[in-house]
Amino acid sequence: MTIASREDSALMTPAPSRSFPSDFLFGAATAAFQIEGAAHEDGRRDSIWDAFCRVPGAVINADNGDVACDHYHLYRDDVALMKDMGLQTYRFSTSWSRVRPDGGALNTQGVDFYKRLVDELLGADILPWLTLYHWDLPQALQEQGGWTNRDTADRFTEYALDLHDALGDRVNVWTTLNEPWCSSFLSYTAGLHAPGHYSVEEGVLAAHHLLLAHGQTVRELRARDESLTLGITLNLTVADPADPSEPADVDAARRIDGQFNRWFLDPVFRGEYPADIVEDIRKVDASAMAAWEAAVQPGDLEAISTPIDSLGVNYYHGELVGGTAPANPPKPGDAPTDRPGASPFPSHEGIFWHERGLPRTPMNWEVQPEGLTRLLTRVWTEYAQPAGTVLYVTENGAAYDDELVIDGGEARVHDHERVDFVRGHLSAILDAVDAGADVRGYFYWSLLDNFEWAWGYEKRFGIVRVDYDTQARTVKDSGREYSRIIDARAIEHSAATIS
């Protein structure tokens, strides 16, 4: 199976519904650590998240991924569920700690699990979309410096090529990294994610070595097979100034955009880091930037900017920021753990978040579909289109306080807010396509309720409910509505009755 090309990306919008292009892919996404479980089976060893879960106060309720959704044992049932829902593609990640435990020799038992999963997907006519890294670095490599150590980029490329040896004949779509902003600044600078460090220097070094790992791996995979579809997934935002006429507010938005978006987009697409942000961070920590400059060796940026076929865009909400503190600031959206966190933005002094009156989820994340339209059109115009790269929304979702009820003798979850969320963001994608952006697909996050990092099992993102005691799966109303949209390949102006 391969991703179809599109000769004409223009979209006609018929009434009374909005149709999707004929080659638009509908899927859902998960991550290995969040759903697989089987943490100590068949040769798997600790990842940094296994270790972080054991740090007192790091994860709510001291939750961990030992069992999670038990997908390792229930994958056949989960794939059957995907087929019933009409999913065309499934974005999953492979566990480095399962494939090369401790970053060492290949573990054939771990590889065999992914062979079985891919075979099951292909048998259900679902396109496998493989992500090589979704934050589960082997703990043994972290003890050697983790992503602050340049050697980790080489170890990652070895791991990627091992998986290509095993799956390259059946998997055509390969994503190198998921959200390197999270696995660098959120993890090595803010201390909020594994390994939980508080260092500007470690954050910038980790970001560079993650991107180097991406570039090296794309080069090696491309050399092996030119037909592969290769890319990276970045979590991106829309940073708006609280008052566009106020210079301090505009500057705050510039710094958030630069540290969140451009620090990764510019090296991947332009072969350079954003000079303004380099200087912003230097003002905060000159020694960190000296170490970073020494780490950026000749040829690194050429490798990082190796052309890619697709860019995955993960979008959850935007940011409204200013240079002065508001009277009533919004509540933070981080997990309320006992372990303190720092800002993930090295240059954060004088930046304050503002309220704009949008609906918010129970995690206090704004619901802002129009931000996705603006983000996609901007990324398409400034980065992807000039590079000949197409776009996919590889994550988008929301956590709500779902309740399981018995309705007519049937287990149901009436999550109308998530139904509206899915419809609103799919409509926002169509708005971007109308504006000329070549967006080829959408992956809801997440297929299943799962381990939500520092939130543990407190928050549910899935369109399928998981009972963690029994492992029973229940398709929520949002999953039913998503299936209906997939079947119709259109969004009706008024939602049909969900049954």
Side-chain angles (χ1 to χ4, degrees), residues 9-11 376-377 380-381 385 430-439:
S9 62
L11 173 70
L376 291 171
T377 53
W380 170 249
T381 301
Q385 184 180 30
L430 289 179
D431 290 341
V433 174
D434 281 346
D438 193 352
V439 186

Side-chain angles (χ1 to χ4, degrees), residues 12-61:
M12 300 301 292
T13 308
S17 64
R18 300 188 70 185
S19 298
F20 289 87
S22 60
D23 61 346
F24 190 91
L25 288 174
F26 293 95
T30 65
F33 188 83
Q34 293 179 269
I35 69 166
E36 283 182 1
H40 308 109
E41 292 186 39
D42 296 336
R44 185 189 178 278
R45 304 278 183 85
D46 272 0
S47 73
I48 54 175
W49 269 96
D50 294 284
F52 193 61
C53 289
R54 295 193 287 266
V55 174
V59 177
I60 292 176
N61 299 323

